[in-house]
Structure formats: C-alpha cells, structure tokens
Amino acid sequence: QVQLVQSGTEVKIPGASVKVSCKASGFIFSNHWMHWVRQAPGQGLEWMGIINPSGDTTSYAQRLQGRLTLTRDTSTNTVYMELRSLRSEDTATYYCARDESDQDSGGRQWWFFALWGRGTLVAVSS
Amino acid sequence: SELTQDPAVSVALGQTVRITCQGDSLRSYYATWYQQKPGQAPVLVIYGKNNRPSGIPDRFSGSSSEITASLTITGAQAEDEADYYCKSRDSSSFQWVFGGGTKLTVL
C-alpha cells in the first residue's frame, strides 16, 4: 500500500525541540524528493522545506532557516523533520509529502504532491 | 515571492466558479491546486497545464495566463465546499510557496 505514515502527537514546552518522522511504503522511496508542510490552527498551508533522495541536499523556507533540519534514513525509508527552539507560533499540524515533477514540451515545469502523510500535531505550550 | 488568492468565494449549487491565484512565479512555473476539507490532509486536484489525478471529477479544471492561475469548478457540488490552495515554486530560489487559500462555500 502506497502511504506515508507519520509519528504521533507531540506536546512540547517553549524552547524545546521536536523530531517528527514520516515512514514511506509501497513505492521506491529513493526516487523521490520529500517535502514538509505545516498548518497552524485555522491558518493556511506553509511550505517548510525539501530534502533530496540521498539526504545530502536540503532547502528550507527562509523564516525557518537555522531552526529546521530535514534528514532521511534510506535504510528504513523514513524522513525526519526536526524543529528547534520551539515557540507557541510553531503549534501546527505538520505534514510530509512526496514530490513529483514534470514539464511540458516548452520546458515549463510543475511540482505536485499526490501523496501526503496524515499529519502530526505539534503543540507548544508552557 | 508570494501567491495571492481571494480569501473566500461562494457559488450556487450546480453553477460554475473560478478560483484564482496570482504571483510572479507563475510566469515561469505552473501552479498546482489542492483541496482541503476540515480535519483532513490536502488532496491534489490539478497539476501541470490541466491534469487531474485519478479520482478527481472532470468538473475540476485548471488554466494559466501570465501571472494568474485559475481553478474552475463547472457545476459545483455540495462536496466541493472546502479550502483550495495553489502552490508553485519560487522563481528565484529553490523554495516553494502556497497561496493563502480560498474558502469555497457552495450555497
């Protein structure tokens, strides 16, 4: 079964760190870049970052740089999102998503997430 | 770069509605559209020029012109009531960005 299974709810105090996992199954994990997206309660989707198949290339949203680290373990088909120095504003549901991309005959590209994890709630509160 | 969407749009049952997304990056890259219902993960509805994943009804279609991408629902149904987000790659960096989302109400 093609799926992304995320770890469970986390409750953290401000200043702590959190590490959320996303385990892939049913497809060739090493063929795909992976993204992380978060959504604060009642708010929109926010792109967080991307990691390449071998785990040696990442890119992070500017506002999260310095606090966010994405890693992946190819032996267990798992990608991880670690966010440090947590603040109340980091309270959100965190999603992993599988990257797919293509381009038209003119070279114009697109990227899409057809497969998402079900989300992990991270609550930050004192 | 940013992607701008109208915060809310309404449509009468069975009528046609267009949800738009504007941003400079759309000159270079196609937008992708997602539907999200309360308490659920987003679902891909349109990608590329006008591609629908299997399982997405053909009443959903996409188009693009200059800096504007559009998602059109022809004959909106009650089950289409949801939040819709566009997404694209930033034109000047290896980053992606979502629009703020449009809440669609089907009357």
Side-chain angles (χ1 to χ4, degrees), chain A residues 24-38:
Chain A
S25 61
F27 64 95
I28 302 173
F29 183 63
S30 60
N31 283 355
H32 294 273
W33 295 65
M34 295 293 293
H35 296 256
W36 286 85
V37 174
R38 72 177 180 178

Side-chain angles (χ1 to χ4, degrees), chain A residues 33 35 37 39 43-45 47 50 59-62 65 95 104 108-114 116-117, chain B residues 26-30 32 34 36 40-42 44 47-49 51 64 66 85 87 89 94-96 98 100:
Chain A
W33 295 65
H35 296 256
V37 174
Q39 186 171 37
Q43 302 301 307
L45 301 173
W47 181 82
I50 183 174
S59 178
Y60 303 128
Q62 207 147 4
Q65 285 185 9
Y95 296 99
D104 63 13
R108 192 175 175 192
Q109 297 172 285
W110 63 86
W111 291 261
F112 60 97
F113 307 160
W116 294 70
Chain B
L26 300 180
R27 289 185 197 275
S28 304
Y29 304 114
Y30 284 105
T32 300
Y34 300 90
Q36 188 182 35
Q40 299 181 18
L44 176 70
Y47 62 99
K49 194 168 186 177
N51 301 307
S64 181
E66 294 293 316
Y85 295 90
K87 181 189 101 266
R89 178 177 163 178
F94 193 58
Q95 298 182 14
W96 279 257
F98 283 93

Side-chain angles (χ1 to χ4, degrees), chain B residues 17-30:
Chain B
V17 62
R18 176 175 291 181
I19 298 170
T20 61
C21 172
Q22 286 196 319
D24 286 340
S25 65
L26 300 180
R27 289 185 197 275
S28 304
Y29 304 114
Y30 284 105

Side-chain angles (χ1 to χ4, degrees), chain A:
Chain A
Q1 185 178 0
V2 176
Q3 61 183 352
L4 298 171
V5 178
Q6 297 187 222
S7 50
T9 297
E10 300 269 9
V11 179
K12 298 291 183 181
I13 60 172
S17 297
V18 69
K19 193 169 186 177
V20 178
S21 67
C22 167
K23 183 174 176 60
S25 61
F27 64 95
I28 302 173
F29 183 63
S30 60
N31 283 355
H32 294 273
W33 295 65
M34 295 293 293
H35 296 256
W36 286 85
V37 174
R38 72 177 180 178
Q39 186 171 37
Q43 302 301 307
L45 301 173
E46 178 186 11
W47 181 82
M48 298 178 68
I50 183 174
I51 185 167
N52 74 333
S54 58
D56 58 3
T57 298
T58 54
S59 178
Y60 303 128
Q62 207 147 4
R63 62 179 294 200
L64 295 174
Q65 285 185 9
R67 293 201 299 135
L68 176 64
T69 300
L70 302 185
T71 56
R72 66 195 284 168
D73 183 342
T74 54
S75 68
T76 61
N77 289 354
T78 303
V79 61
Y80 298 93
M81 185 284 300
E82 181 179 29
L83 190 60
R84 299 175 294 279
S85 302
L86 289 169
R87 312 158 184 164
S88 58
E89 310 90 86
D90 295 318
T91 294
T93 297
Y94 290 74
Y95 296 99
C96 58
R98 185 182 72 180
D99 178 83
E100 294 173 74
S101 62
D102 208 336
Q103 61 185 38
D104 63 13
S105 57
R108 192 175 175 192
Q109 297 172 285
W110 63 86
W111 291 261
F112 60 97
F113 307 160
L115 182 64
W116 294 70
R118 296 183 70 173
T120 296
L121 174 62
V122 176
V124 183
S125 174
S126 55

